[in-house]
Amino acid sequence: MKTVPFTKSYGGATVLTMPSVELAPGTVTAVIGANGSGKSTLAKVLAGLEPADKKTRAELDARVGYLPQKSFAFRMSLQRNIALNGADEERMARITQALGLSALAKRSAKRLSGGETAKMALARLLMADYDVLILDEPTAAMDMESTLAAEQLITGACAETGCAVLLITHSLAQAERTAGRLLFLHRGRLIEQGETKRMLKDPKEPETKAFLEFYGA
């Protein structure tokens, strides 16, 4: 599945310029870059939440599941929140157990911690199958144990359903653990893309090298 080239501007200033990028089925593609590099804007445009410039139809022609940075909780129990996206009890039990949420099933979602809310939002998304999952820093509020569990669920869903995953992450370690391919954004432009291990060990572009050196890759 290939995205179309597009630009995205706010107030006349172009904040993101993207060429065509392939999102391969059954593959996790991680997106890295400094704050303000355009990662979340990329996610929103491809998910159809933000229009690209000049009426370009940049959103993906596929069934897309999108998880924003800020997890949303409806005013109901954790269990009912998750069931909004699917009622398969066996699937829910498997996902909630993996994320350590089983004991919180009846708790009001408004009483959850930030990490618990993030896990609930991911569980809700994973109750259905999609062609593409776009995840914007899904584990940023989680502790390490929960992060690893979430990563296993994400990569498992990718392998089992054959969906393509676009994972926005601030963690190079997470990208290395989960992603087969890597995109590096710098000041609103795609500077380099390729196989994750190769890029982390042998980046070709000076901007990529500087970023990885700064963040300790």
Side-chain angles (χ1 to χ4, degrees):
M1 179 183 305
K2 286 189 176 182
T3 67
V4 301
F6 71 89
T7 61
K8 176 61 182 176
S9 302
Y10 293 108
T14 300
V15 298
L16 184 63
T17 301
M18 285 295 297
S20 177
V21 173
E22 184 170 2
L23 300 177
T27 300
V28 178
T29 299
V31 184
I32 60 172
N35 289 340
S37 61
K39 301 188 302 296
S40 291
T41 300
L42 172 64
K44 290 175 183 177
V45 171
L46 293 183
L49 275 72
E50 294 275 1
D53 293 343
K54 298 179 181 178
K55 299 182 180 179
T56 300
R57 190 175 183 275
E59 68 268 25
L60 298 170
D61 186 17
R63 189 176 186 213
V64 176
Y66 170 66
L67 192 64
Q69 266 190 44
K70 187 173 181 181
S71 303
F72 186 79
F74 294 93
R75 292 185 179 276
M76 54 183 70
S77 69
L78 177 145
Q79 184 179 52
R80 289 183 63 195
N81 262 272
I82 296 173
L84 289 171
N85 202 34
D88 185 329
E89 293 184 1
E90 182 177 344
R91 186 170 186 167
M92 184 185 296
R94 174 177 59 83
I95 293 171
T96 54
Q97 182 176 6
L99 291 172
L101 295 175
S102 300
L104 305 177
K106 303 300 181 182
R107 181 175 296 183
S108 168
K110 293 299 182 180
R111 294 178 54 209
L112 300 174
S113 69
E116 290 164 348
T117 302
K119 290 190 286 185
M120 179 193 70
L122 177 61
R124 183 170 58 216
L125 183 70
L126 294 178
M127 284 297 292
D129 293 337
Y130 299 92
D131 300 315
V132 180
L133 287 175
I134 298 177
L135 312 174
D136 193 350
E137 299 196 12
T139 64
M142 299 182 196
D143 60 26
M144 194 61 199
E145 182 180 1
S146 298
T147 292
L148 294 175
E151 289 174 0
Q152 288 184 350
L153 284 172
I154 291 165
T155 55
C158 181
E160 292 166 14
T161 69
C163 68
V165 176
L166 188 72
L167 174 66
I168 312 296
T169 180
H170 65 281
S171 169
L172 297 176
Q174 181 170 77
E176 188 170 20
R177 286 193 301 266
T178 62
R181 289 188 58 78
L182 194 62
L183 307 180
F184 170 60
L185 299 184
H186 178 66
R187 296 182 179 177
R189 291 186 175 273
L190 177 61
I191 300 299
E192 189 170 353
Q193 61 179 309
E195 192 264 335
T196 300
K197 290 183 179 179
R198 191 280 300 166
M199 275 186 60
L200 292 178
K201 292 180 180 179
D202 184 28
K204 303 302 182 186
E205 301 300 327
E207 296 92 342
T208 315
K209 292 180 182 179
F211 176 82
L212 295 178
E213 288 173 0
F214 184 81
Y215 285 96

